[in-house]
Amino acid sequence: MTAWQRYVAIGDSFTEGMSDPDPPRPGSYLGWADRLATALSRLAADAGAEFKYANLAVRGRTLSDVVGAQLQAALAMGPDLVSVVGGGNDILRPSVDLDAIAASLDEAVSRIRTTGADVLMATPTDTRDSGLFKPLRPRHAIHTANIFTIAQRHGAHVLNLWGLEPIRDWRMWSEDRIHLSTQGHARVARSEEH
């Protein structure tokens, strides 16, 4: 892996780490991005470099928030890696323009890449076994295809949750069946470390 030195995570509850409490900080979460940052900090230290990290993700945010104010704040920090994960809350709405979501993501990734920073995106999970969310599977599939297309176009990295079989295990999910559990966040972070 590249020894990145300045990682900023932007997104919604998935990146914030919902349902994965951080015991030393009551009311705070410790999600996949935080665990990835820990691994990246070790790589930077091994390379003799200082590592800085910020997680700007906020639960409930739509993609316009993520690629708007969050992205602006992230770029002001001069990152060399930005994870941008969004669109999930948009997809939950009764009607959604998946092409508009793709265009917004494409523009955001292009903007990040022009700074020289690398980008990490994540696909949604496959909802085929998700009961209430099963009807959203076609939307998730289109969003997944769009993410891979955008990543290929801009040389971005993709965290492929759609194809990550271990998170099909319900133990990887919190009681709400919407957010990952501590075990799930740890598994997602490990998949990106390699």
Side-chain angles (χ1 to χ4, degrees):
M1 282 181 70
T2 304
W4 290 289
Q5 297 177 42
R6 295 173 317 281
Y7 168 37
V8 181
I10 60 175
D12 53 27
S13 60
F14 172 67
T15 300
E16 183 185 0
M18 281 292 295
S19 300
D20 186 3
D22 185 3
R25 299 179 316 147
S28 297
Y29 298 100
L30 179 69
W32 71 271
D34 304 303
R35 288 175 169 84
L36 176 60
T38 297
L40 294 177
S41 70
R42 286 192 297 267
L43 286 173
D46 290 347
E50 183 183 5
F51 181 79
K52 295 183 178 182
Y53 166 65
N55 188 335
L56 306 180
V58 179
R59 71 196 81 160
R61 295 301 192 246
T62 60
L63 185 61
S64 63
D65 298 317
V66 174
V67 301
Q70 285 186 32
L71 178 58
Q72 189 67 27
L75 293 178
M77 296 177 181
D80 55 8
L81 175 65
V82 177
S83 62
V84 53
V85 183
N89 290 320
D90 302 83
I91 289 171
L92 291 174
R93 296 182 179 218
S95 64
V96 61
D97 185 342
L98 293 169
D99 293 329
I101 287 176
S104 292
L105 268 175
D106 187 80
E107 183 180 330
V109 172
S110 176
R111 189 170 166 203
I112 297 166
R113 294 294 286 148
T114 59
T115 70
D118 286 317
V119 177
L120 172 62
M121 300 166 58
T123 71
T125 58
D126 185 349
T127 59
R128 75 176 178 210
D129 302 321
S130 299
L132 180 64
F133 294 107
K134 187 173 183 176
L136 296 176
R137 191 176 194 220
R139 291 181 182 187
H140 280 219
I142 292 168
H143 189 52
T144 295
N146 287 339
I147 286 169
F148 275 109
T149 300
I150 293 164
Q152 185 178 40
R153 181 179 301 129
H154 297 288
H157 303 275
V158 176
L159 181 53
N160 183 8
L161 301 179
W162 183 276
L164 187 60
E165 287 297 320
I167 64 169
R168 301 192 70 74
D169 182 332
W170 282 115
R171 290 174 294 181
M172 299 289 174
W173 295 88
S174 68
E175 290 180 7
D176 69 10
R177 297 295 191 229
I178 298 170
H179 300 100
L180 292 171
S181 64
T182 298
Q183 187 178 1
H185 281 283
R187 181 60 188 88
V188 168
R190 280 196 315 273
S191 69
E192 188 52 34
E193 288 175 25
H194 298 99

